[in-house]
Amino acid sequence: MTLAHFIEHNMEAILADWESFAKTLPGGVSMDIAGLRTPAKQLLEEVCEDMVFTQTRELENSKSHGLALPLDAAKTAAQTHALQRARSGFSINEMASEYRALRASVLSLWIDTSALGDSDLSEIMRFNEAIDKALCESIVHFSQEVDRARNLLLGVLGHDLRTPLSAIQMTAQHLKKLNLGSDVSIAAERLIRSGGQMKGLLDDLTAFNRKQLGLGISVSVVETDLSAVFEDQLQQLRAAYPAREITLEVSGDLRGKWDPARLQQVLGNLVVNALRYGASERPVRLVLYGLETEVVFHVKNEGKTIPAATLAQLFDPLRRGADRPDEQGSPGLGLYICREISLAHGGSILAESTESGTVFTVRLPRNASNVSPRAAKDGSQLSR
């Protein structure tokens, strides 16, 4: 009897072992028998189908490297199993342990009831191939489901935190207007500044979350004078960092079609980054000028040179170099968001660092409405 036929004839005993083991896992305690068994039965049926399929040497080599395609189905049993386990609270280690237990259960039952010969080694190899293939599929889809759930949670969190934050800021502004004394005014001003910083972090979180969910960074372009937009943003930054000097130099035609709120977000992130990591006694300089078909701005700070290894990953999300610790409570999304907003406008962002300081350069075509969604999504226009 082949191993595939053995599994089919002993399905109930194998499923009973699967159920008993899954019940010992934290995620399986609250699941009913149908929930525990259904994906297992489908999985074993697909494993048997895979084992009896005549495969070429090329396909065998592909499967040994994890390159084999799944069976023709809208969703395989391994994928269904992974989604169910992720939604039931299993950890990825617990899910993988189910496959180890299933493998051991099938092989031990077969060995106990059969006198194995040399030819049966190929049966065991085919079975292990099929189990490993299913395990890989499960891990991929389990991870995707966990990522999706996490991104949805971040989206809800970023959205719902805005309401209490707005109430805090409005109350602080009201207290400041009441003229209740210098101590109250100073405390209110501190709350206003902190609220502004929190809003910036929530903006970054929301934009990052949209990108991770495949929604992209949304931009709503209108006729904009970038000089006025940036001057307004710098006034807010100067109020938030009264002890620091931030200068602005403008020249040329600075009119075009952009999303002013998004570009204020870019400017805010770049300037705050320069304030954090630049020399505290030296100014941060913003240079903004218009060319024939585009507008360019530089954010410059003096200070330590950024190492090449750190510079190479500067725009990656949730990544920091050893010389840039998370001392300010930032989640490490600011520069990533700057890149995505620049791309969404059909532009680019470049970071350069020398002994004299660090410069971020953003280039924006004047008419951002002509950007193709694909270009903004795939990042093909990014330069570093």
Side-chain angles (χ1 to χ4, degrees):
M1 179 183 293
T2 66
L3 181 52
H5 290 147
F6 175 84
I7 293 172
E8 292 173 348
H9 283 86
N10 292 273
M11 185 71 73
E12 179 60 32
I14 296 170
L15 291 177
D17 276 356
W18 170 291
E19 176 194 337
S20 297
F21 177 76
K23 271 291 187 183
T24 67
L25 301 173
V29 172
S30 60
M31 294 184 66
D32 57 22
I33 294 177
L36 291 168
R37 285 194 174 202
T38 300
K41 186 175 187 296
Q42 295 171 346
L43 177 64
L44 285 171
E45 289 171 349
E46 288 185 4
V47 165
C48 291
E49 183 181 344
D50 187 281
M51 291 174 65
V52 299
F53 176 76
T54 302
Q55 64 181 18
T56 64
R57 177 64 66 178
E58 182 181 2
L59 179 58
E60 181 180 340
N61 290 334
S62 296
K63 289 170 68 176
S64 69
H65 290 86
L67 302 177
L69 296 175
L71 298 172
D72 292 334
K75 185 175 292 181
T76 67
Q79 296 169 11
T80 300
H81 172 248
L83 295 176
Q84 184 198 65
R85 292 320 194 231
R87 293 169 183 174
S88 298
F90 278 64
S91 70
I92 194 168
N93 289 333
E94 290 171 355
M95 184 195 69
S97 71
E98 287 189 286
Y99 281 91
R100 293 196 300 271
L102 177 62
R103 189 196 310 265
S105 175
V106 170
L107 293 179
S108 63
L109 283 172
W110 194 44
I111 291 171
D112 289 344
T113 58
S114 306
L116 302 185
D118 293 341
S119 61
D120 293 320
L121 292 177
S122 62
E123 293 282 320
I124 295 176
M125 290 178 62
R126 289 292 300 271
F127 174 71
N128 284 329
E129 281 180 0
I131 289 294
D132 289 341
K133 173 172 164 286
L135 175 59
C136 289
E137 285 185 40
S138 284
I139 288 174
V140 168
H141 285 269
F142 186 97
S143 300
Q144 290 175 347
E145 178 65 13
V146 170
D147 288 343
R148 188 191 70 85
R150 180 173 57 245
N151 289 330
L152 288 174
L153 174 62
L154 290 176
V156 171
L157 182 66
H159 179 271
D160 289 354
L161 281 176
R162 293 178 182 276
T163 299
L165 177 60
S166 296
I168 292 171
Q169 288 184 295
M170 291 176 64
T171 301
Q173 291 169 353
H174 178 67
L175 287 173
K176 185 178 178 181
K177 293 177 180 178
L178 291 178
N179 295 321
L180 297 176
S182 60
D183 290 343
V184 174
S185 295
I186 292 173
E189 183 63 38
R190 188 180 299 117
L191 282 174
I192 293 170
R193 291 199 304 270
S194 297
Q197 292 172 348
M198 288 179 64
K199 182 179 180 301
L201 294 176
L202 287 177
D203 288 341
D204 288 350
L205 179 62
T206 300
F208 174 73
N209 184 64
R210 284 185 57 86
K211 186 69 176 180
Q212 294 301 101
L213 288 173
L215 302 176
I217 299 292
S218 60
V219 293
S220 300
V221 299
V222 295
E223 293 289 345
T224 304
D225 181 347
L226 213 54
S227 176
V229 170
F230 277 17
E231 180 60 46
D232 177 69
Q233 180 67 12
L234 286 185
Q235 290 298 330
Q236 298 181 47
L237 290 166
R238 287 167 180 148
Y241 296 88
R244 299 296 299 275
E245 182 181 358
I246 308 172
T247 67
L248 172 64
E249 304 171 27
V250 298
S251 61
D253 182 3
L254 301 176
R255 294 169 298 174
K257 295 184 70 173
W258 304 293
D259 185 326
R262 285 297 193 189
L263 292 184
Q264 282 188 327
Q265 193 177 353
V266 172
L267 179 63
N269 281 332
L270 292 180
V271 171
V272 169
N273 183 78
L275 291 169
R276 286 176 178 168
Y277 300 110
S280 59
E281 71 280 3
R282 302 298 300 164
V284 169
R285 297 173 53 215
L286 170 62
V287 179
L288 173 65
Y289 55 91
L291 301 176
E292 182 177 355
T293 60
E294 64 181 2
V295 169
V296 182
F297 67 90
H298 308 282
V299 176
K300 307 179 180 182
N301 67 271
E302 300 176 36
K304 291 196 311 179
T305 303
I306 301 175
T310 301
L311 201 65
Q313 63 180 25
L314 210 55
F315 296 100
D316 295 342
L318 308 176
R319 295 285 295 275
R320 293 182 174 276
D323 61 321
R324 300 169 73 83
D326 187 11
E327 59 191 22
Q328 305 291 336
S330 168
L333 295 174
L335 295 180
Y336 168 78
I337 299 303
C338 290
R339 180 186 71 177
E340 297 303 319
I341 293 175
S342 300
L343 290 173
H345 282 84
S348 64
I349 185 169
L350 172 71
E352 299 174 288
S353 190
T354 64
E355 293 181 357
S356 60
T358 299
V359 181
F360 286 87
T361 300
V362 177
R363 313 185 78 92
L364 300 169
R366 287 191 182 275
N367 191 350
S369 62
N370 289 333
V371 180
S372 70
R374 179 176 178 83
K377 185 176 180 180
D378 64 19
S380 59
Q381 301 185 54
L382 172 67
S383 61
R384 287 191 180 181

